[in-house]
Amino acid sequence: MLQIPLWKRFLIWGICALAVLFAIPNAFYGRVESHNDALAAVAVQGTAPTPQQQAAIESWPSWMPSGLMNLGLDLRGGAHLLAEVQLSDVYADRIDGLWPEMRDALRAARAEVGSIRRAPSEPGVLRIQISNPDGIARAVQIARGLAQPVQSVTGTGQNDLDVRGEGDTIVIQLSEAERTATDQRTLQQSLEIIRRRVDEVGTREPTIQRQGDDRILIEVPGIGSAAELKSLIGTTAQLTFNTVVNRTTDANTPVEPGQELLESEDEPGVYYVVQATPVVSGEQLVDAQPAFDQNNRPAVNFRFNGSGGRIFGDYTAQNIGRPFAIVLDERVISAPVINSAIPGGSGIITGNFTVEQSTELAVLLRAGALPAGLEFLEERTIGPELGQDSIDAGRTASIVAMIAVVVFMVACYGWFGMMANIALAVNVIAIFAVLSLIGATLTLPGIAGIVLTMGMAVDANVLIFERVREELRAGRNAVRALDEGFQKALSAIIDANITTFLTAVIMFAVGSGPVRGFAVTLGIGIIVSMFTSIFVARSLIATWYAWRRPKTITV
Amino acid sequence: MALRLKLVPDTTTINFFRWQWLTFGSSIALMIASLVIVAVMGLNFGIDFRGGTTIRTESTQEVDVGTYRSALQPLGIGDIIITEVFDPGFRADQHVASIRIEAQENAEAATPETVARVQDALREIDPSITFPSVESVGPKVSGELVRSAVIALVLAALGIGIYIWFRFEWQFALGTVVASVHDVLVTVGILALFQIRFDLTTVAALLTILGYSVNDTVVVFDRLRENLRKYKTMPLRDVMNLSVNETLSRTIMTVVTTLIALFALLIFGGDVLRGFVSTIIFGVILGTYSSIYMAKNLVLWIGVNREPKANPKAGTKFADIDA
């Protein structure tokens, strides 16, 4: 084992050098962070950097790696929310929106079904009583006729409504397939809206992710409190449909009272003069989906609720051939021309869209307001001072632990202990390097994981050294003892580490937040420590042996 | 001869079975006692597991728990637990307290109004007070967290058992799992006894204990396996004693370096981590004890099949790896 081929030595020390290189940015955290932020800002603004940005960019050499560990909320401060999307809200909205249409359709068949009235019912279910029970079969047939195929991949061929007759009552609710499809849409929509809202404040690295079937996890570093974050998410985008008065390229076009000059979203330099009072607003929009028009060009289908549908129907009937503006947050995202009256509350927006654009427009349209209420299951606010205190405490603890372990190892194993210590130092540096490379998040328990690794990482070397001592006592010469020591200790080292690694994997899979942070550092620590205590320590000892050529050794 | 600190003499011949009834018996007794303590005293669950709100306060004025309590009593928000937090790392004028409020009735989510009222009431008695952290968990999530925590522990124990079974024999797997369950159970008993707060990070601590305990036991078993091949006729009990004695020095060295790191964390790591770190410390000490006194006793009683295996190298699969 003391003969290590040259290429292997290069490989081992090359990896160590890389570890140091990738860990270095963390030692200059503030500087590298402002460097990265400035670069990102310049990329977004698309213009030459301001002098401050230039200075920030130059403060860290561009040829150096600039990956940093993310600091978790508990270290940086910020807000954490776990929200549950109230999916059944959407069912109720949909079913309520169905009533006017149903009523009109059934009225047309009054001769067969008699008079109709909406019976009281739980939310999400529409019950319509008819005065002529004999006509129930016909009524159910009419109601089924209004059902539409489910718009989803899995639900093809199924209808969105479940209609059955119960005596003199038609019971209508969303079908299972439609519910699944609606749930998917609602959650995706909620995610998009929240992301849009959070991105507007432009904080660094917010986490917005789906959890389980109906939950969304939102973590925003640097925000003052969870209450602030909640009000930010609650603010709905203002989506309105306005009458277009004029289209212009002059940003200084004078406008009359009651009119507004709005910029176009996708045509640079184009402005629209619109009536300030909207025809319909986004609160009345129930759904928007990317689709294709009759000429197979990308378009967007949308649907209003009952009252919105009526207003929109009347307006479009009176304004065929004129454009109207779809305005989101004071910007015109599209100004299509009305081709025909759009009764019934649903319509199609056509234009020069690509498929991507129509999808995006549908998203933007839906993004007007949250489709369903959010209930907050978990709220956490951590102040930045507390985070800084934790970082300081963690740093002190790490340094003290490191020094104590180093001294103890030297006291017990002399020179060999020193070599194990070098391996330990490489170990800690490499943990930071891996964390930065994969962009992992460091939490307070994560720091504890690193400190714990310091204590446990020397275990492998302890196993080896104790084994070498035994071999020496058994009368083997230096080379044999070292050789055997490394070889015989190996199976114990590997078994012991794999079992610990298993627990780290399970912690990562089942745990959340800070626990995950701990699992990540513990897991990385185990893998890295196996490399350092076996390869790095061995290489060090081999070099030392080749240099000193001792006849006898004392471990 | 170079000067060396030796915690354990070069060769020891301690008979670890001498007090086996006493040691094993007290382990069993400790496990039963832990169960009883947990059943009687209950665990001091944090908000992660029972819902509610914790507010951390910081002030330049001394914390007077009584004043805080009388300021909050009129709000009528149910049980309030106020504890002053101490840490050697605090500045002289840094006074920290932790206020825990029960989950409010018929509110799934956190109640910002309640938090705001508590904060206003406290600001009235102490204008310099700040609130470095506010955390709320609803009862729905906390129920799920309990479930996933239990699942995590069971999965970890199972996974470890299966791995050991593949690498060694089923007897060893059983011994390892029982020993680590012992460590976790007794640690939980200690947490209940001292009413140390039990939250999500505690679960992480318990999993770490599981890992450490198995780590220790595996090292002993690895040596046992090797010695069983070497001394084919020696009675099992003697081979076990020999293996524990041979690995004793390593066992002690590792527990000492681990404890050094853990005590550094306990003293300097800040108050937020204190419960987490002290839990691991209990577990590491128990883990060391159980790998010496518990795991192998079980294997001895069950017995090991010492017939030569078809593949004599099976156990040293990794020994061929060369650097």
Side-chain angles (χ1 to χ4, degrees):
Chain A
M1 81 110 220
L2 293 176
Q3 260 66 55
I4 303 176
L6 198 61
W7 68 270
K8 262 186 191 166
R9 283 185 206 215
F10 271 114
L11 190 65
I12 291 167
W13 293 109
I15 291 173
C16 294
L18 277 180
V20 173
L21 188 66
F22 282 105
I24 280 178
N26 294 295
F28 305 92
Y29 204 95
R31 206 190 286 182
V32 181
E33 192 168 52
S34 55
H35 164 85
N36 290 351
D37 287 351
L39 273 183
V42 168
V44 168
Q45 75 201 26
T47 57
T50 65
Q52 290 104 313
Q53 283 171 336
Q54 194 57 46
I57 291 171
E58 278 164 7
S59 68
W60 186 249
S62 58
W63 47 268
M64 281 290 287
S66 57
L68 288 171
M69 295 180 288
N70 293 324
L71 295 181
L73 276 192
D74 54 351
L75 295 180
R76 193 193 278 280
H80 160 117
L81 288 176
L82 181 66
E84 189 171 72
V85 183
Q86 305 297 300
L87 294 171
S88 50
D89 280 7
V90 182
Y91 307 155
D93 276 0
R94 277 285 299 280
I95 289 295
D96 285 343
L98 216 57
W99 164 239
E101 208 180 339
M102 281 289 165
R103 184 189 53 202
D104 295 348
L106 290 169
R107 263 189 197 149
R110 188 176 293 178
E112 289 155 282
V113 300
S115 67
I116 55 170
R117 105 188 156 79
R118 184 172 178 183
S121 137
E122 65 269 31
V125 182
L126 178 63
R127 286 173 192 276
I128 304 172
Q129 222 172 12
I130 57 173
S131 65
N132 180 10
D134 298 336
I136 191 76
R138 172 73 185 131
V140 167
Q141 191 193 354
I142 293 172
R144 286 210 177 117
L146 291 174
Q148 282 165 359
V150 174
Q151 297 171 345
S152 83
V153 192
T154 47
T156 13
Q158 297 190 52
N159 282 333
D160 60 351
L161 297 180
D162 229 3
V163 183
R164 62 178 199 277
E166 277 177 8
D168 62 348
T169 310
I170 324 169
V171 182
I172 303 162
Q173 53 189 28
L174 296 183
S175 68
E176 200 57 47
E178 177 64 12
R179 278 171 194 235
T180 317
T182 310
D183 289 354
Q184 288 298 331
R185 270 207 301 277
T186 310
L187 209 66
Q188 192 202 345
Q189 220 169 304
S190 305
L191 275 170
E192 278 156 7
I193 295 166
I194 293 172
R195 190 165 293 136
R196 238 177 108 81
R197 292 273 149 268
V198 172
D199 280 351
E200 261 164 35
V201 293
T203 68
R204 190 180 291 116
E205 288 143 18
T207 307
I208 296 152
Q209 68 191 194
R210 182 179 169 164
Q211 277 203 333
D213 288 335
D214 56 357
R215 294 196 183 152
I216 297 174
L217 173 78
I218 309 147
E219 285 194 338
V220 183
I223 199 163
S225 74
E228 207 173 295
L229 178 57
K230 273 199 315 200
S231 73
L232 175 75
I233 294 166
T235 329
T236 54
Q238 267 309 312
L239 174 77
T240 54
F241 292 76
N242 300 53
T243 309
V244 174
V245 179
N246 197 5
R247 182 176 185 273
T248 169
T249 50
D250 178 6
N252 299 315
T253 310
V255 292
E256 288 170 31
Q259 295 182 347
E260 278 179 317
L261 182 72
L262 301 176
E263 206 183 338
S264 168
E265 170 91 17
D266 52 355
E267 302 163 278
V270 173
Y271 296 85
Y272 289 91
V273 180
V274 302
Q275 296 288 357
T277 314
V279 178
V280 212
S281 74
E283 282 106 66
Q284 291 168 308
L285 196 75
V286 181
D287 197 10
Q289 288 293 322
F292 293 92
D293 64 5
Q294 59 269 52
N295 300 324
N296 231 4
R297 286 177 308 181
V300 176
N301 268 326
F302 62 90
R303 193 168 67 233
F304 284 113
N305 63 11
S307 68
R310 258 193 313 281
I311 301 169
F312 192 64
D314 294 347
Y315 176 79
T316 47
Q318 291 153 18
N319 293 282
I320 293 174
R322 296 203 200 124
F324 72 100
I326 302 170
V327 181
L328 186 74
D329 285 341
E330 306 284 279
R331 287 166 81 86
V332 176
I333 52 173
S334 165
V337 172
I338 301 165
N339 290 329
S340 62
I342 306 173
S346 64
I348 188 162
I349 305 171
T350 56
N352 287 323
F353 298 135
T354 62
V355 177
E356 289 75 34
Q357 282 169 331
S358 72
T359 311
E360 196 183 339
L361 179 57
V363 169
L364 285 177
L365 283 177
R366 283 179 305 181
L370 283 167
L374 293 179
E375 187 153 38
F376 294 99
L377 306 180
E378 238 181 81
E379 295 183 24
R380 298 175 199 259
T381 310
I382 291 114
E385 332 73 56
L386 181 59
Q388 191 55 50
D389 287 353
S390 296
I391 293 178
D392 294 343
R395 187 179 292 139
T396 314
S398 314
I399 293 169
V400 171
M402 186 85 187
I403 292 172
V405 170
V406 163
V407 169
F408 182 72
M409 285 298 283
V410 171
C412 290
Y413 298 112
W415 258 113
F416 285 86
M418 205 54 230
M419 288 187 252
N421 286 333
I422 295 172
L424 175 64
V426 174
N427 183 5
V428 174
I429 291 169
I431 292 176
F432 285 123
V434 175
L435 285 174
S436 314
L437 265 180
I438 63 176
T441 302
L442 186 69
T443 60
L444 185 55
I447 295 180
I450 293 177
V451 176
L452 188 62
T453 310
M454 288 182 196
M456 290 170 66
V458 290
D459 179 48
N461 283 125
V462 169
L463 271 167
I464 294 167
F465 295 160
E466 291 293 328
R467 199 71 207 219
V468 174
R469 277 184 180 172
E470 276 178 53
E471 300 299 329
L472 284 174
R473 278 200 295 274
R476 306 209 199 293
N477 65 25
V479 182
R480 272 298 296 283
L482 284 171
D483 226 13
E484 296 270 299
F486 266 94
Q487 227 166 64
K488 287 188 177 164
L490 204 56
S491 84
I493 293 173
I494 288 175
D495 279 338
N497 280 301
I498 285 180
T499 45
T500 316
F501 187 71
L502 263 178
T503 58
V505 169
I506 288 165
M507 254 187 265
F508 184 80
V510 184
S512 66
V515 175
R516 271 196 166 191
F518 176 71
V520 168
T521 53
L522 190 67
I524 293 174
I526 290 165
I527 296 173
V528 169
S529 80
M530 282 176 65
F531 169 76
T532 54
S533 51
I534 298 173
F535 295 102
V536 176
R538 183 189 280 204
S539 175
L540 277 169
I541 291 170
T543 311
W544 169 82
Y545 190 85
W547 171 47
R548 299 297 294 268
R549 293 262 159 222
K551 289 266 179 326
T552 57
I553 55 169
T554 316
V555 175
Chain B
M1 280 307 269
L3 194 65
R4 291 285 185 273
L5 173 66
K6 280 199 174 142
L7 299 178
V8 178
D10 278 350
T11 39
T12 53
T13 48
I14 304 166
N15 180 4
F16 288 100
F17 287 102
R18 189 154 174 202
W19 308 106
Q20 61 169 322
W21 297 112
L22 182 68
T23 52
F24 200 76
S26 48
S27 286
I28 303 276
L30 275 177
M31 278 162 79
I32 295 169
S34 300
L35 285 173
V36 172
I37 291 171
V38 172
V40 174
M41 299 182 64
L43 288 163
N44 178 14
F45 281 122
I47 56 161
D48 289 339
F49 290 125
R50 60 189 248 174
T53 305
T54 343
I55 302 174
R56 187 182 166 98
T57 69
E58 200 178 308
S59 169
T60 49
Q61 294 178 25
E62 295 257 348
V63 173
D64 181 359
V65 174
T67 320
Y68 279 25
R69 185 174 298 281
S70 49
L72 299 180
Q73 214 74 68
L75 300 179
I77 44 174
D79 237 7
I80 304 169
I81 298 170
I82 304 169
T83 35
E84 190 170 358
V85 179
F86 299 98
D87 190 87
F90 288 162
R91 294 181 298 278
D93 65 341
Q94 190 178 14
H95 302 285
V96 177
S98 160
I99 298 171
R100 197 168 81 194
I101 309 163
E102 273 191 327
Q104 301 296 298
E105 248 170 68
N106 56 42
E108 177 55 56
T111 45
E113 297 78 24
T114 315
V115 173
R117 278 164 65 207
V118 169
Q119 295 185 342
D120 289 342
L122 290 174
R123 271 195 205 102
E124 212 137 282
I125 55 164
D126 181 356
S128 74
I129 204 164
T130 55
F131 305 96
S133 84
V134 179
E135 303 188 52
S136 288
V137 179
K140 194 189 246 169
V141 182
S142 56
E144 288 165 19
L145 290 177
V146 172
R147 224 173 10 256
S148 65
V150 172
I151 292 173
L153 283 168
V154 172
L155 273 183
L158 272 180
I160 289 165
I162 291 171
Y163 180 78
I164 305 281
W165 180 28
F166 277 126
R167 289 282 291 145
F168 297 84
E169 310 271 333
W170 66 267
Q171 295 92 334
F172 289 70
L174 191 71
T176 313
V177 171
V178 170
S180 45
V181 167
H182 159 267
D183 302 338
V184 170
L185 195 60
V186 177
T187 307
V188 172
I190 295 173
L191 294 180
L193 185 66
F194 294 112
Q195 290 290 300
I196 296 173
R197 201 176 66 196
F198 193 102
D199 54 22
L200 269 184
T201 53
T202 311
V203 178
L206 293 178
L207 281 163
T208 311
I209 293 169
L210 208 66
Y212 183 87
S213 161
V214 171
N215 187 321
D216 239 18
T217 309
V218 162
V219 170
V220 176
F221 280 177
D222 181 78
R223 181 59 67 97
L224 176 59
R225 179 172 58 187
E226 186 186 323
N227 283 339
L228 281 174
R229 274 196 293 269
K230 208 147 96 189
Y231 310 102
K232 288 202 167 29
T233 50
M234 198 191 274
L236 184 57
R237 170 186 291 249
D238 296 347
V239 185
M240 283 188 170
N241 249 332
L242 178 71
S243 308
V244 176
N245 273 303
E246 281 178 351
T247 50
L248 189 64
S249 175
R250 172 269 159 191
T251 306
I252 302 296
M253 277 296 298
T254 299
V255 77
V256 169
T257 53
T258 307
L259 285 179
I260 285 175
L262 284 170
F263 274 101
L265 265 179
L266 186 74
I267 299 167
F268 302 103
D271 67 285
V272 184
L273 276 179
R274 186 140 308 138
F276 178 69
V277 174
S278 45
T279 309
I280 299 186
I281 289 178
F282 294 134
V284 163
I285 295 169
L286 280 164
T288 306
Y289 167 84
S290 75
S291 64
I292 296 176
Y293 280 105
M294 190 143 181
K296 66 180 201 330
N297 291 40
L298 265 169
V299 178
L300 179 66
W301 291 332
I302 307 169
V304 183
N305 178 16
R306 297 180 73 179
E307 291 299 303
K309 293 225 288 192
N311 175 8
K313 290 217 80 169
T316 46
K317 192 154 50 182
F318 296 119
D320 303 333
I321 296 176
D322 185 45

